[in-house]
Amino acid sequence: MTDYILALDQGTTSSRAILFDRTGRLCASASQEFPQHFPQPGWVEHDPDDIWNSQLAVARQVLREAHVAAHQVAAIGIANQRETTVIWERATGRPIAPAIVWQDRRTADACEALRAAGKAAMICERTGLELDSYFSATKLAWLLDRVPGARTRAAAGELCFGTVDSWLAYKLCGAHVTDVGNASRTMLFNIHLLRWDADLLALFDIPAALLPEVVPSCGNVGMTHADLFGAPIALAGIAGDQQAATFGQACHHSGMVKNTYGTGCFMLMHAGAQPAVSHNRLLSTVGWRLHTETCYLLEGSVFMGGATVQWLRDGLGIIRQSSDVEPLAASVPDSGGVLLVPAFVGLGAPQWDPYARGTIVGLTRGSTAAHIARAAVEAIAYQSAQLLQAMQKDARVPVAEVRADGGAARNDMLMQFQADLLGVPVLRPKVTETTALGAAYLAGLTVGFWASQEEIAAQWRCERRFDPAMNADRRAALLARWGRAVERAQAWEQPL
């Protein structure tokens, strides 16, 4: 009898492994941070081996500490940081260069050149994405151009490209695959035809031999190598972290919205069985594919969410650990007029400005560390409020509620301020590890651990509901002031 699903939640700053039972209850978890590398301003890198080694370590740890053997695990599901770009040798599995992380802005000028050449509209029409260095295509092209011999070896089929899901699948079971949702984040994938786009490959000069096979999010990928966990386990589900969180939040019907408060913040709306068209610079992306049914999502991306709190900890040193931010921020009644725009790696939706930089405005002699901490927390909510404003303009129906998850969703002050700015209730589920839960659900559906999406949706439970307590005039005034602060952060750096 198999009693558990093992979810591997590979994030931007840490790798996590969680065991879930048939009720969707979190039974055991383990987490491990791994190093971040910033070789130049605007550059963000990971060592792919750090990603793999930390993920394998926590998977083994959670099984060991829960006293669960491999034969008790029905399947493994992967959720992963998206867009991060890895190239490795097909024969040896050795990376040929550091992974370029989704936050990295080194290819902003390449994107500007493509925009000047009139390519942005075609890219958006086929991929649903803004032309931006956030996505994998220009990162991949940069690596092929900079690593000696890489382009020749790629054309010869000696190298593999993948986002982090592909890297983990290759290390787990030797499969070179990606699911449709992750593929749709590369800027190389046609979301209408659900295949790699030959014109885009030519535009970015990407050899097709480098690309992974695109598979459904829910399906058997392969069996893990026996020596990893003591016995093979089926790898049966793959989804990018935000798609997985949307699925884990049981946003299975059009119009349902979730917002994840992780390293970044990502608000996604279920858009139905056809790609949505945004007129407000949101992204249209593939959510998941279950057998023959494809779900599409409308997405807004904020690059600095919880990472802003990490900056308070690691950069400024005004808190010792991330959990200290809430009591420090709550020690003052408001931010004292301070606004922090955390454009440390540019701005995502709806501005899409890679040349914006972090800005603090409204400082006075009375400003303290507590005011800056409060401004940092409130910045997370302000950025997400901009996303919902854009989303409601694009949506056919009003948004009734937002389901919140991610580490920062445990911050009650943030959640209440978020509800106040959104003007709609924010619901926090009992299980906030919805990214891992979504990966588990996809894998479990594949192997029959759960019978249907309806069974999964019935397991969703609200832990706390945050209702708006701010009047409309106050909300409008705060958002207008935030807009002024964002204007001051934009276009700070100049294109080369």
Side-chain angles (χ1 to χ4, degrees):
M1 182 68 177
T2 52
D3 301 312
Y4 305 98
I5 298 289
L6 174 61
L8 306 182
D9 181 5
Q10 204 301 300
T12 308
T13 58
S14 67
S15 296
R16 187 169 302 175
I18 300 179
L19 280 172
F20 292 98
D21 67 12
R22 292 179 187 275
T23 67
R25 181 176 65 94
L26 189 157
C27 299
S29 67
S31 181
Q32 180 178 312
E33 290 192 4
F34 58 91
Q36 311 289 301
H37 302 284
F38 310 100
Q40 294 186 36
W43 291 28
V44 189
E45 295 180 350
H46 292 158
D47 182 334
D49 287 329
D50 285 343
I51 293 174
W52 165 242
N53 290 331
S54 61
Q55 188 65 78
L56 178 61
V58 293
R60 287 172 167 169
Q61 179 185 345
V62 77
L63 294 175
R64 181 175 65 253
E65 292 181 353
H67 304 290
V68 170
H71 67 82
Q72 294 175 270
V73 179
I76 291 174
I78 291 174
N80 60 282
Q81 55 165 311
R82 304 173 303 171
E83 299 94 21
T84 295
T85 301
V86 187
I87 304 180
W88 65 93
E89 294 176 341
R90 190 178 301 275
T92 67
R94 286 195 297 262
I96 68 166
I100 302 181
V101 179
W102 58 272
Q103 296 170 316
D104 189 283
R105 313 305 289 170
R106 75 186 66 181
T107 61
D109 293 337
C111 291
E112 289 303 311
L114 287 166
R115 182 171 286 106
K119 302 299 183 182
M122 183 272 281
I123 290 171
C124 183
E125 191 280 326
R126 297 195 187 190
T127 69
L129 307 177
E130 288 281 329
L131 173 54
D132 194 82
S133 58
Y134 172 30
F135 306 106
S136 308
T138 55
K139 302 179 192 298
L140 176 55
W142 190 95
L143 286 170
L144 292 176
D145 288 337
R146 300 308 194 281
V147 178
R151 192 171 293 282
T152 300
R153 297 184 68 195
E158 297 177 14
L159 302 178
C160 297
F161 151 72
T163 44
V164 169
D165 60 312
S166 298
W167 173 237
L168 294 181
Y170 189 87
K171 300 295 281 187
L172 286 166
C173 60
H176 185 207
V177 300
T178 190
D179 91 295
V180 288
N182 275 295
S184 75
R185 309 296 296 187
T186 62
M187 217 157 63
L188 297 170
F189 189 74
N190 189 310
I191 62 170
H192 307 278
L193 302 176
L194 297 178
R195 65 187 185 212
W196 300 117
D197 190 288
D199 293 335
L200 292 173
L201 296 182
L203 177 65
F204 292 102
D205 196 15
I206 305 298
L210 190 65
L211 302 176
E213 176 189 357
V214 180
V215 299
S217 314
C218 181
N220 285 301
V221 174
M223 303 298 291
T224 63
H225 301 303
D227 61 335
L228 295 178
F229 306 112
I233 304 174
L235 175 57
I238 298 175
D241 50 11
Q242 302 315 314
Q243 287 96 331
T246 309
F247 198 78
Q249 283 276 36
C251 293
H252 299 161
H253 302 288
S254 294
M256 297 184 74
V257 176
K258 74 88 194 171
N259 195 30
T260 294
Y261 299 83
T263 301
C265 293
F266 301 89
M267 185 175 288
L268 284 83
M269 172 187 283
H270 192 301
Q274 298 295 325
V277 176
S278 175
H279 301 286
N280 295 280
R281 306 197 75 184
L282 299 179
L283 307 177
S284 184
T285 196
V286 178
W288 50 81
R289 185 169 175 82
L290 307 182
H291 310 300
T292 59
E293 297 181 2
T294 304
C295 159
Y296 290 88
L297 304 172
L298 195 62
E299 175 175 338
S301 310
V302 167
F303 296 153
M304 294 291 293
T308 309
V309 176
Q310 290 179 323
W311 175 72
L312 296 181
R313 181 192 69 189
D314 303 334
L316 296 188
I318 64 175
I319 54 175
R320 293 176 61 87
Q321 53 191 14
S322 295
S323 59
D324 292 340
V325 73
E326 184 170 9
L328 179 60
S331 69
V332 290
D334 53 47
S335 70
V338 177
L339 288 172
L340 189 162
V341 182
F344 301 109
V345 292
L347 290 170
Q351 292 85 14
W352 294 108
D353 182 356
Y355 302 106
R357 287 298 178 264
T359 306
I360 302 178
V361 297
L363 291 170
T364 68
R365 283 288 300 274
S367 300
T368 67
H371 293 110
I372 292 173
R374 181 127 187 167
V377 172
E378 292 182 351
I380 300 171
Y382 277 120
Q383 292 176 102
S384 295
Q386 284 189 309
L387 298 183
L388 189 70
Q389 284 181 324
M391 200 165 278
Q392 287 185 313
K393 291 175 183 176
D394 280 332
R396 299 170 185 166
V397 294
V399 174
E401 65 184 32
V402 173
R403 296 185 173 187
D405 56 68
R410 293 189 288 269
N411 186 319
D412 289 349
M413 187 186 74
L414 170 60
M415 292 296 96
Q416 183 57 56
F417 190 64
Q418 186 69 90
D420 290 343
L421 288 182
L422 296 179
V424 299
V426 173
L427 278 58
R428 184 171 64 200
K430 287 189 174 181
V431 177
T432 56
E433 299 289 355
T434 54
T435 299
L437 183 58
Y441 280 151
L442 289 167
L445 285 172
T446 299
V447 298
F449 196 81
W450 292 288
S452 65
Q453 290 188 67
E454 290 72 23
E455 179 185 356
I456 287 169
Q459 294 182 354
W460 191 90
R461 294 287 186 276
C462 181
E463 180 264 328
R464 182 168 174 182
R465 176 187 173 106
F466 297 86
D467 287 305
M470 183 181 289
N471 66 55
D473 289 343
R474 174 65 173 162
R475 179 183 306 121
L478 289 178
L479 289 171
R481 196 163 185 271
W482 171 256
R484 290 168 53 210
V486 170
E487 288 174 0
R488 284 154 175 78
Q490 286 189 262
W492 182 259
E493 293 292 336
Q494 298 297 318
L496 295 177

